[in-house]
Amino acid sequence: MDALDVFYRVRHQWPEFEALMAKLRYVFASGSHCEALALVHSQRSYVMNHHGHRPPGREETGGMVGSVTTRAEALELCSRHQPELLITTDQLEDGDGLELVREAHQRWPGLPILLVMKTVSVPRLRLALRSGSQGVLTDALVLEGNVYAALQTLLAGGRYLDPNLSQLLEQNALGWDPQLSGKQLQILQAVVHGLSDRQIAEALALPYDTVRYHLKQAYRELGTTNRSHAALLLVQQGLLAPPSPPRKAWNGAQFLDHSPG
């Protein structure tokens, strides 16, 4: 990507975009610390340039409620400030952004959510739409300035889907799309991270037989009888996060919030 070329193509949209974001009460969540800080810097620069010097504090970033990197932080800010918009990437510092989308939509059905997908697959895209995203963009279209059009559509009560993603869905209308429940995905995410069935049952406070039942139902849907094969299929399709790197100390329960549905 030629960043300078991108800059010259989209710079005419930036004043309108920054003006909109300065007035809008919103939360931004990203797995990238650089992205989170860059948006804060951009908003602060706009507000300071157009409204003069202000005392240090959150008022310098206009309507931004917060720019965070974890699901828990985003949900806490949404609960405390009742924003007008949630923007999140599909990968966060503490797991999968689709889980944030699903939970935020369940808690606040009227909250518009814009999802930026850095990893695209047809099953994952369908899952994102089922989870409650009113707008879905690829990372590439954000760089081309399409986020402004998406935000205008969402704030007017509409839905926005990256045109390339619409075409992808049409081309794969009959493609593989496993119909797994959120609980099944949550259990299989724990399988990805190496937990046994009994460890999963303990971490989720479920009966052991219930965990086994959910796994068998998932096997039937996926056409497999092997827990490792089932988990691998879903990781390959982008429906589950890959295994986390080893840690010096961990609790099995910490992995169970990272499934997207």
Side-chain angles (χ1 to χ4, degrees), residues 32 37-38 53 56 61 63 74 85 101 109 116 121 130 154 168 170 174 180 206 213 218 220 237 244:
S32 166
L37 289 171
H53 176 72
T61 53
L85 175 73
V101 170
V116 180
S121 69
R130 292 199 301 266
L154 263 64
L168 182 64
E170 292 172 4
L174 301 178
L180 300 179
L206 292 173
Y213 171 78
R220 183 177 303 172
Q237 290 295 320
S244 297

Side-chain angles (χ1 to χ4, degrees), residues 22-261:
K23 295 183 293 184
L24 187 66
R25 196 169 67 256
Y26 69 98
V27 172
F28 176 70
S30 170
S32 166
H33 289 261
C34 290
E35 285 183 353
L37 289 171
L39 190 57
V40 171
H41 177 73
S42 174
Q43 285 288 274
R44 183 181 185 278
S45 296
Y46 176 84
V47 172
M48 296 296 285
N49 289 337
H50 287 77
H51 300 285
H53 176 72
R54 296 186 179 192
R58 289 184 179 270
E59 64 271 19
E60 293 183 353
T61 53
M64 177 188 287
V65 170
S67 184
V68 298
T69 60
T70 70
R71 165 180 156 272
E73 290 170 327
L75 290 172
E76 193 275 331
L77 286 175
C78 288
S79 178
R80 193 195 324 161
H81 296 281
Q82 299 296 304
E84 301 168 89
L85 175 73
L86 169 63
I87 306 173
T88 182
T89 59
D90 62 335
Q91 293 298 326
L92 300 175
E93 187 178 15
D94 62 347
D96 201 310
L98 270 64
E99 174 65 18
L100 168 59
V101 170
R102 183 188 64 78
E103 190 165 352
H105 182 66
Q106 287 182 344
R107 292 193 191 183
W108 308 284
L111 174 64
I113 302 174
L114 177 62
L115 175 69
V116 180
M117 299 190 71
K118 296 177 180 291
T119 304
V120 178
S121 69
V122 172
R124 187 168 175 80
L125 174 57
R126 289 176 177 149
L127 181 59
L129 295 172
R130 292 199 301 266
S131 297
S133 302
Q134 287 81 22
V136 183
L137 286 173
T138 59
D139 197 36
L141 277 195
V142 170
L143 294 175
E144 293 177 10
N146 292 60
V147 66
Y148 181 62
L151 290 177
Q152 287 183 310
T153 302
L154 263 64
L155 294 174
R159 297 176 65 89
Y160 188 95
L161 183 61
D162 180 329
N164 292 329
L165 296 179
S166 296
Q167 185 178 8
L168 182 64
L169 286 177
E170 292 172 4
Q171 292 172 346
N172 292 270
L174 301 178
W176 186 63
D177 184 17
Q179 299 298 304
L180 300 179
S181 69
K183 186 62 68 179
Q184 289 166 353
L185 287 169
Q186 193 176 30
I187 290 171
L188 283 164
Q189 182 66 71
V191 171
V192 172
H193 291 297
L195 275 67
S196 69
D197 294 350
R198 293 198 181 279
Q199 286 175 316
I200 296 170
E202 181 180 351
L204 287 177
L206 292 173
Y208 172 76
D209 289 343
T210 300
V211 172
R212 294 294 301 160
Y213 171 78
H214 279 300
L215 285 172
K216 288 179 180 178
Q217 292 296 106
Y219 297 160
R220 183 177 303 172
E221 177 66 29
L222 296 170
T224 183
T225 58
N226 183 287
R227 71 201 303 272
S228 298
H229 186 212
L232 178 62
L233 284 173
L234 295 174
V235 170
Q236 289 175 334
Q237 290 295 320
L239 289 169
L240 293 180
S244 297
R247 303 186 183 188
K248 293 181 180 178
W250 57 272
N251 182 329
Q254 75 186 63
F255 292 122
L256 299 181
D257 289 331
H258 295 178
S259 62

